[in-house]
Amino acid sequence: MKLNNMNAQENTRNSSGRLREIVSTLTKYGIANWLKDTKIEWIKKQLKDASGKDMLLNSREERIRLALTELGTTFIKLGQVLSTRSDLIGTDLADELSKLQASTPKDGIAYVRKCIKRELGVKDIQEVFLEFSTKPIASASIAQVHKAVLKTGEEVAVKVMHYGIEGKVMEDLKILKQLAKIAQAHGGPLKAYQPLQVIRQFSRILLDELDFRKELTNLEKFALNFEDDDRVVLPKPYRQFSGKEVLVMSFLEGTSLQKIDDLEWSQEQKSDFTEASAEVFMEMMFRDRFYHADPHPGNLFVMEDGSLGIIDCGMIGRLDSRINEAFEELIIGVAQKDGEHIKNIILNLGALP
C-alpha cells in the first residue's frame, strides 16, 4: 500500500510544471480548498502562498468558469462536458459552464497546409481544393475550421487539428487523474461526485475527439439513420479527403440556435421546429441508441428550409438494451405519475452516491 502511494506521488511530480500551474490557478480562483488535506507537501505550500482575494468577489460558478478558461483546452472541454450534466453539478454551475468558449490560438496557414498535405498524402493542397480560405471561420479547443471548395465544386468545411494539441491533452489527462485520486481520498463533499469515475469517462470522450476518423464514422452512421429525413441535416463527410487530423465535410450554413429570435418566426413555427427537433433526438436515443452527446446551442442551427442542422459529431453516446428499456419504463412512470416506479428504475440502473 505504501509503495502504491509513493508511486502515485512520483507520477504526480513527473509533470510538476504543469501541475503547479493547475494547482496555482485553482487556488487563485478559490476553488481548490479540498487540496488542503493532501499529504503532498509542495501542493500544501503552493496553496498557502496563493492569495486570490480579488477573485473571491465573483460567484463560485464564475470563478470555476474563469479557472477552466485560463487552464486551456482540456479543462475547457471538461467544463463543456459538465455543462450538459446539470443533474451532476446543479443548474447554476451548468448554466455558467455553458458560456465556456475555447481560447486556443489559431494556427498559421503554413501549418494548416502542412498538416493537410501530410494527412492526405499530396504535394500541394491545390490538388484537392479549388479554393481554400487562409483565415479560419472558427477556432475551437481541439481544431480550427477553414472554408474551402473542392476541385469538383462542392463547398466544404475543413477541420484541422491544432498543432501539438494531442500531447498537451494527454499530459493534462494524466494530471487530472492524479488530482482526481487526491480528491477521491481527501475531497470531503467532493467525493460524492465520484471524481475519478468522472475523469475516466471524460478521458474516453476526449481521446475519441482527438481522432477525426471516429467523427467521420459517426457522421456516416447518422446519415444512414436519417436517410431521406427532411427534419435534420448533418454534414456529409468526404472520406477520401480526411484523416486522423483533418476532416473534410460539406459546409452547413444556417442561423445559430442562439439567434433563433432573429428569424421573426411565429409562435407556431417555433413550436413546430422545437417539436421536430425533439423528435430527432428522441429517435437518436430510443430508436437508434446512438445519439449526438454535445447538443449545446453552438452545435445546432436552423437551416434555410426550417430543418435542424447539427455539427460537431465527435462526441456521441450509445444506449445498451438494458438502459434503453429502463428509459422507456421511466417515461411510463412519469406519464403515470408513479414515483415509486421511477425510484425503483433509477435504483436498478446503478448505485447513487
Side-chain angles (χ1 to χ4, degrees):
M1 189 66 163
K2 189 176 286 186
L3 182 61
N4 288 339
N5 289 338
M6 288 175 62
N7 288 339
Q9 290 191 24
E10 187 59 37
N11 288 338
T12 304
R13 290 193 192 98
N14 287 341
S15 301
S16 60
R18 175 60 170 159
L19 180 53
R20 286 177 188 274
E21 180 187 354
I22 291 168
V23 170
S24 177
T25 302
L26 294 177
T27 308
K28 181 173 73 173
Y29 288 95
I31 55 176
N33 292 336
W34 53 272
L35 281 169
K36 288 180 180 176
D37 293 327
T38 179
K39 304 301 180 187
I40 303 174
E41 288 302 318
W42 70 263
I43 289 183
K44 293 170 73 174
K45 184 178 179 182
Q46 183 78 26
L47 289 166
K48 290 176 183 175
D49 290 343
S51 170
K53 290 180 181 178
D54 292 338
M55 297 301 172
L56 295 178
L57 296 175
N58 296 322
S59 71
R60 169 180 166 273
E61 290 76 18
E62 287 177 312
R63 284 184 278 120
I64 291 173
R65 175 178 59 80
L66 290 168
L68 295 177
T69 300
E70 186 170 321
L71 287 170
T73 298
T74 311
F75 293 83
I76 290 170
K77 291 297 294 185
L78 176 60
Q80 289 172 337
V81 170
L82 289 175
S83 74
T84 66
R85 294 297 308 274
S86 58
D87 59 310
L88 185 68
I89 62 173
T91 304
D92 290 343
L93 182 54
D95 288 346
E96 187 66 33
L97 294 184
S98 69
K99 301 174 186 176
L100 276 168
Q101 298 294 326
S103 56
T104 307
K106 300 177 180 67
D107 290 314
I109 189 61
Y111 169 74
V112 170
R113 290 177 183 274
K114 180 180 178 181
C115 183
I116 292 172
K117 288 189 289 185
R118 182 182 67 243
E119 285 290 292
L120 305 190
V122 295
K123 292 183 178 179
D124 196 304
I125 66 170
Q126 290 180 343
E127 295 177 36
V128 178
F129 304 107
L130 191 65
E131 298 175 18
F132 192 93
S133 97
T134 56
K135 292 184 179 179
I137 56 175
S139 182
S141 52
I142 299 293
Q144 62 192 53
V145 179
H146 291 256
K147 193 174 181 180
V149 178
L150 291 174
K151 296 276 280 193
T152 47
E154 296 98 328
E155 267 195 346
V156 293
V158 183
K159 193 172 180 180
V160 181
M161 198 171 293
H162 285 304
Y163 174 75
I165 199 69
E166 185 172 4
K168 294 174 185 175
V169 168
M170 295 298 287
E171 181 183 6
D172 281 351
L173 288 177
K174 181 180 176 182
I175 292 169
L176 275 171
K177 187 176 179 181
Q178 294 299 322
L179 290 176
K181 287 179 179 178
I182 296 171
Q184 198 84 27
H186 307 291
L190 191 62
K191 288 189 284 188
Y193 293 98
Q194 303 178 73
L196 196 52
Q197 184 176 335
V198 169
I199 294 304
R200 282 173 178 159
Q201 184 177 3
F202 170 65
S203 296
R204 288 195 297 271
I205 291 170
L206 191 50
L207 290 176
D208 279 349
E209 290 201 58
L210 289 172
D211 187 346
F212 290 157
R213 293 170 297 190
K214 294 184 178 180
E215 182 173 354
L216 185 147
T217 301
N218 295 341
L219 285 168
E220 291 177 336
K221 188 170 178 62
F222 280 129
L224 285 174
N225 291 343
F226 289 92
E227 193 173 13
D228 300 322
D229 191 326
D230 59 7
R231 298 171 301 170
V232 60
V233 179
L234 291 110
K236 171 191 170 185
Y238 291 84
R239 183 174 283 275
Q240 69 273 36
F241 302 132
S242 301
K244 184 177 185 289
E245 297 184 16
V246 174
L247 175 60
V248 177
M249 52 198 158
S250 58
F251 186 80
L252 295 192
E253 193 160 16
T255 301
S256 169
L257 211 59
Q258 296 165 313
K259 299 179 179 178
I260 193 169
D261 289 335
D262 294 350
L263 296 175
E264 298 181 351
W265 274 0
S266 67
Q267 190 56 48
E268 183 180 2
Q269 286 174 303
K270 287 183 182 179
S271 297
D272 289 345
F273 174 79
T274 302
E275 185 176 339
S277 300
E279 286 174 356
V280 166
F281 275 94
M282 292 289 280
E283 287 175 16
M284 283 183 184
M285 288 189 284
F286 296 112
R287 183 193 68 191
D288 307 325
R289 301 178 187 174
F290 179 87
Y291 59 93
H292 190 289
D294 193 20
H296 64 75
N299 288 338
L300 304 175
F301 296 87
V302 182
M303 305 303 289
E304 191 175 355
D305 62 1
S307 60
L308 172 68
I310 304 177
I311 62 169
D312 203 357
C313 297
M315 193 186 304
I316 56 94
R318 293 181 175 87
L319 294 182
D320 60 30
S321 57
R322 183 182 73 90
I323 295 177
N324 197 62
E325 289 169 8
F327 278 179
E328 290 174 358
E329 287 295 320
L330 279 175
I331 292 172
I332 292 171
V334 171
Q336 296 177 344
K337 299 182 179 179
D338 187 342
E340 185 69 20
H341 183 66
I342 293 171
K343 181 193 75 173
N344 289 333
I345 293 297
I346 292 173
L347 289 173
N348 286 335
L349 278 172
L352 297 179

